Amino acid sequence: MITSGYPLSTVPGNLNYFSLIPITLIITIKLGSRGKLWPKNFASYAFFLLLFLTLTSFITNLNVNNLSLNIKFLLVISFSYMFCLFVSFNDFIKFYLKTLKVISIISLIGYSILNYTSLTIPLGTFKNINDVEYYNGIVFFAIKSFSEYGNDGFERNIGAFWEPGLFATTLLIAIVFELWKNKINKVNIIIFLIALYTTKSTFGYIMVLPIVAIIMSKKIKTKRNIIILNTFFIGILTFSVNYLNDILVHLSSLNPILFSKLVTESASVNERIESPLINLEIFKNNILFGAGIGNIENLFISLTESSQTSTSTYFLATFGILGISYTLFFIYGILSFKKVNLTSRLMFLIIILTQINKEPHMYFTLTFILMFYFLKMSSTKSYNFEK
């Protein structure tokens, strides 16, 4: 969690990522002693390709000034890869669901106190590198002020993450994992949905549609009806994204209290369109080996004042044509997970691909852990969820 959107990881001078060094070394030694290091599967192939691309782009671009960022990326993928080899997917899901449940309950309590009572929570504050001020509750954070970005603050629940959209994503993943279990815990689903509602995330609300499709698909048996269901929900999602502003403006006119905040957020979503375009422009000039980690950040800032949001095109611009492998890894890994039906796989893929292209995930261990898990399981003939 502390290396996947944790607010304190955005404080200048933080050492969160250095904690990955001893953990990765310990896991590597234990795997080596068990003879389970470097297994021949797609997760290993992906890991070595990312290592190769990082070193190649670094050498090609003489990227010495950005050595620290390259090391940071190598730490992230090394830890994530070793973690998925060391911890079973079942154990990961159990831990993930328990962690999100605790964060959701604590955040809902804190959110309710801040928004619906006159009580004050005795929490310290800190500012991150973007001058955003947070209340610090270790596992619960609230935005006190956004500096020049606005000031809706703790009216949106961010849980243990630096912004509500990330919290919404982790909740959506938790809901999907819960629905994939042999025995579904309905209490968990309710808690996650309530927490999702309090994020007031446009993305989170729209991505409830794939969740509904997953639920419905579990009750449909015929192939024809599955195709109709998939086509219908993909069509609805496409329509919702294309006409997002119009939909939210109309909803806001019907219920200003509930939907007015989403209209403001959707404007920022539209601004994110510039990020992939700039990345593709950089990619066009660095097709073979990319601009390199760190170097792309400098080029991006020189071309636009917008924020880096599209992770898929970021990897294209960073590593060149082979950078497309990052996105293809998710597509192949998730669609190869035959334990759940095709609708579940498609809808989960939509959630993941949408998220990694609306927020920067270059240094998120959680995202890479998921990628390596699904690639690892794509090489496994059988897999069973525990109850």
Side-chain angles (χ1 to χ4, degrees), residues 345-360:
R345 283 175 271 156
L346 280 174
M347 297 301 136
F348 185 65
L349 180 62
I350 287 171
I351 292 172
I352 295 298
L353 291 183
T354 304
Q355 173 57 25
I356 64 175
N357 286 293
K358 69 176 283 294
E359 298 293 343

Side-chain angles (χ1 to χ4, degrees), residues 178 183-193:
E178 189 64 60
K183 187 177 180 180
I184 298 172
N185 188 326
K186 293 182 181 179
V187 174
N188 282 355
I189 298 288
I190 293 170
I191 291 172
F192 296 147
L193 285 173

Side-chain angles (χ1 to χ4, degrees), residues 212-268:
V212 174
I214 292 173
I215 294 172
M216 292 180 64
S217 70
K218 299 182 78 172
K219 300 178 180 180
I220 296 176
K221 303 301 180 182
T222 65
K223 187 175 181 180
R224 176 177 175 274
N225 289 339
I226 285 291
I227 293 174
I228 293 173
L229 178 70
N230 292 340
T231 304
F232 173 75
F233 274 97
I234 291 174
I236 290 293
L237 283 168
T238 303
F239 177 84
S240 299
V241 172
N242 288 338
Y243 296 95
L244 181 61
N245 280 341
D246 294 335
I247 293 171
L248 293 179
V249 168
H250 178 68
L251 291 173
S252 180
S253 67
L254 298 175
N255 192 329
I257 295 176
L258 181 59
F259 295 106
S260 60
K261 295 290 182 183
L262 298 183
V263 175
T264 303
E265 188 191 352
S266 72
S268 67

Side-chain angles (χ1 to χ4, degrees), residues 49-50 52-58 60-61 279-293 295-296 299 311-328:
L49 178 59
L50 290 172
F52 172 76
L53 292 176
T54 304
L55 294 174
T56 303
S57 66
F58 180 82
T60 304
N61 292 286
N279 286 335
L280 290 174
E281 184 67 26
I282 297 172
F283 165 69
K284 188 174 70 173
N285 298 320
N286 301 272
I287 293 177
L288 288 180
F289 301 107
I293 295 173
N295 201 30
I296 181 188
L299 290 171
T311 315
S312 291
T313 56
Y314 171 90
F315 276 96
L316 270 174
T318 301
F319 295 137
I321 189 65
L322 289 179
I324 197 173
S325 58
Y326 172 80
T327 304
L328 293 179

